[in-house]
Amino acid sequence: MARQLSVIGFDADDTLWHNERVFQMTQAHFADLLAEYTAPETLMDRLLAAEKRNLGHYGFGVKGFTLSMIETAIDVTDGKVAAPVIAEIMEAGREMLRHPVELLPHARDAVVAARETHAIVLITKGDLLDQERKLAQSGLGDLFHAVEIVSDKTPQTYRDIFARHGNGAENGLMIGNSMRSDVLPMIDAGGWGVFVPHGHEWELEKAPAPEPGNRYHALDDLSGLAALIAEIDGD
């Protein structure tokens, strides 16, 4: 019997390796730097608003986040933020780009197992150089048949990628920690979306889950992926 799935797509950040906690550590440092001007909760609200505003200009990733921190610092201080504080914010951004990669539990085993039966593609968004760096440091780069670093994840993004590397999105599965980016648009494209929560999720990636079934599945962690793929394929 022919397999249901021709290609398995993997998200990268907070699916295969830790990422959001690095942002959260930087936000805590940012709050310390601006503590004399505003409360941390207010600062984080203003920062989130800046990030949302700037996505269309800077895209996803560390560079856009750093620029949003600088913009927020200028905003909450009415333009009085000191140059050394701006310098510290910029250094915090550079430190994020140097942060070592730490794989999540079961990540390597899940990728290896999926590769044994299907074509596998890494589909991630963010800064091109940073994503390439993290993939190289992860030790997983040679396992993927293809890598797609995209500006955003939309249903059309998935249609194009899964048509390019397989038999279309309707024969593809995407697994990731973001309901908004990894699961819902893949299901809208006609494929399977698999949600694996990370525990630290960026506010802008949150979205209500669809009803179970209808090509939506949730796993506690990546250790259950191989069994789910076999179930979908009817093995």
Side-chain angles (χ1 to χ4, degrees), residues 64-195:
F65 175 66
T66 303
L67 289 170
S68 292
M69 284 195 294
I70 293 172
E71 179 181 318
T72 303
I74 294 170
D75 182 34
V76 301
T77 64
D78 294 324
K80 298 174 184 176
V81 60
V85 174
I86 296 295
E88 280 210 50
I89 293 171
M90 293 175 66
E91 177 55 27
R94 287 190 289 268
E95 181 60 31
M96 293 176 74
L97 294 171
R98 294 191 293 263
H99 199 277
V101 173
E102 182 183 350
L103 289 181
L104 284 159
H106 315 294
R108 184 176 183 85
D109 289 344
V111 172
V112 169
R115 179 187 169 86
E116 290 176 353
T117 55
H118 295 79
I120 59 172
V121 181
L122 185 75
I123 306 172
T124 185
K125 63 187 181 185
D127 297 323
L128 175 63
L129 293 178
D130 189 35
Q131 293 303 95
E132 289 178 338
R133 173 192 70 86
K134 287 187 284 191
L135 180 59
Q137 290 186 8
S138 74
L140 302 177
D142 292 340
L143 296 175
F144 290 98
H145 296 98
V147 175
E148 298 272 359
I149 300 174
V150 299
S151 59
D152 202 358
K153 293 175 174 177
T154 66
Q156 191 59 50
T157 301
Y158 288 123
R159 291 187 192 102
D160 292 344
I161 291 174
F162 282 87
R164 190 156 53 243
H165 300 292
N167 299 328
E170 63 272 16
N171 298 115
L173 180 149
M174 181 66 190
I175 182 166
N177 73 296
S178 170
M179 194 67 69
R180 191 198 75 82
S181 293
D182 302 318
V183 176
L184 297 180
M186 183 59 179
I187 293 173
D188 286 346
W192 278 268
V194 180
F195 179 62

Side-chain angles (χ1 to χ4, degrees), residues 173 183 187 192-196 213 215-219 228 231-232:
L173 180 149
V183 176
I187 293 173
W192 278 268
V194 180
F195 179 62
V196 181
R215 297 201 166 202
Y216 166 66
H217 296 272
L219 297 172
L228 177 60
E231 177 186 332
I232 292 172

Side-chain angles (χ1 to χ4, degrees), residues 50-70:
E51 289 180 275
K52 187 181 298 185
R53 219 170 31 244
N54 289 332
L55 277 179
H57 300 292
Y58 308 138
F60 296 87
V62 172
K63 293 174 186 175
F65 175 66
T66 303
L67 289 170
S68 292
M69 284 195 294
I70 293 172

